[in-house]
């Protein structure tokens, strides 16, 4: 008799980790951090998401991009920014001649938070406690990569990197100094661009998004 293959097999380690904690990374490498994050139970989001969606890209990347949290498609694929927001982001990078393969892309929160509505899973913003719990992974990625530049997409990523007083619409597209010697800037989240009502508004929002990201072209080769 034919048996149906499960779409995704949860890593066994998830069940051995006490609630509110996560496995210790085996060493100081980015790979070990990624492996440990698979079993994270630092907040409750591990219960509903398919899997931890960790950052991806070269460990020596000069640029790190931080989004909010994986969406529906990212949750299923286990990779950041592969859905509609990711495609818009790729389009902006392509216009600017920036190769995404050279960029490390991650999120402030590594699990998808949603409410089921019929067959769709509606995105929900992570609450402050969930954002705080996930800082451990973002800080770990930053410590291991030491990127020259951090680009924040949207308010949640911006506050995680530049602090709670950061005003996205006031300070977007401006270089900010970071305490570790690096620098960064913020722009709107691509999902905000996609949510603009008419095609003119969407085009204007996209042009603003590309204009902010153009700061990346100022970097020395
Ligand atoms: N939105 C995000 O912030 N991150 C993703 O990975 C996908 C959509």
């Amino acid at each position: 008799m034919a048996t149906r293959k499960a779409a995704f097999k949860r890593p066994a380690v998830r069940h051995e980790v006490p609630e509110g904690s996560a496995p210790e990374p085996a060493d100081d490498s980015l790979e070990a951090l990624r492996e440990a994050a698979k079993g994270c139970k630092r907040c409750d989001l591990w219960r509903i998401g398919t899997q931890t969606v960790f950052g991806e890209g070269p460990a020596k990347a000069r640029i790190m991009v931080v989004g909010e949290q994986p969406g529906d498609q990212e949750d299923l694929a286990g990779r950041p920014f592969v859905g509609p927001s990711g495609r818009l982001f790729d389009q902006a990078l392509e216009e600017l001649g920036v190769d995404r393969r050279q960029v490390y892309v991650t999120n402030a929160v590594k699990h998808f938070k949603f409410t089921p509505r019929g067959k769709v899973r509606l995105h929900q913003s992570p609450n402050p406690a969930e954002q705080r719990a996930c800082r451990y992974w973002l800080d770990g990625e930053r410590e291991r990569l030491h990127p020259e530049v951090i680009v924040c997409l949207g308010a949640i990523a911006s506050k995680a990197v530049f602090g709670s007083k950061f005003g996205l619409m006031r300070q977007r597209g401006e270089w900010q100094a970071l305490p570790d010697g690096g620098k960064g800037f913020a722009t709107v989240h691509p999902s905000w661009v996609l949510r603009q009502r008419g095609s003119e508004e969407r085009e204007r929002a996209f042009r603003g998004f590309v204009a902010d990201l153009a700061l990346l072209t100022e970097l020395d080769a």
Side-chain angles (χ1 to χ4, degrees), residues 53 67-71 74 79-82 85-86 106-107 153 189:
V53 180
E68 180 192 301
Q69 60 164 323
E74 288 80 11
R79 298 180 53 212
F81 282 104
V82 293
S85 289
T106 192
N107 282 299
L153 305 180
H189 195 281

Side-chain angles (χ1 to χ4, degrees), residues 87-100:
R87 287 193 286 278
L88 195 79
F89 175 59
D90 289 350
Q91 196 185 321
L93 290 187
E94 205 175 311
E95 276 202 21
L96 295 166
V98 177
D99 185 354
R100 173 162 167 175

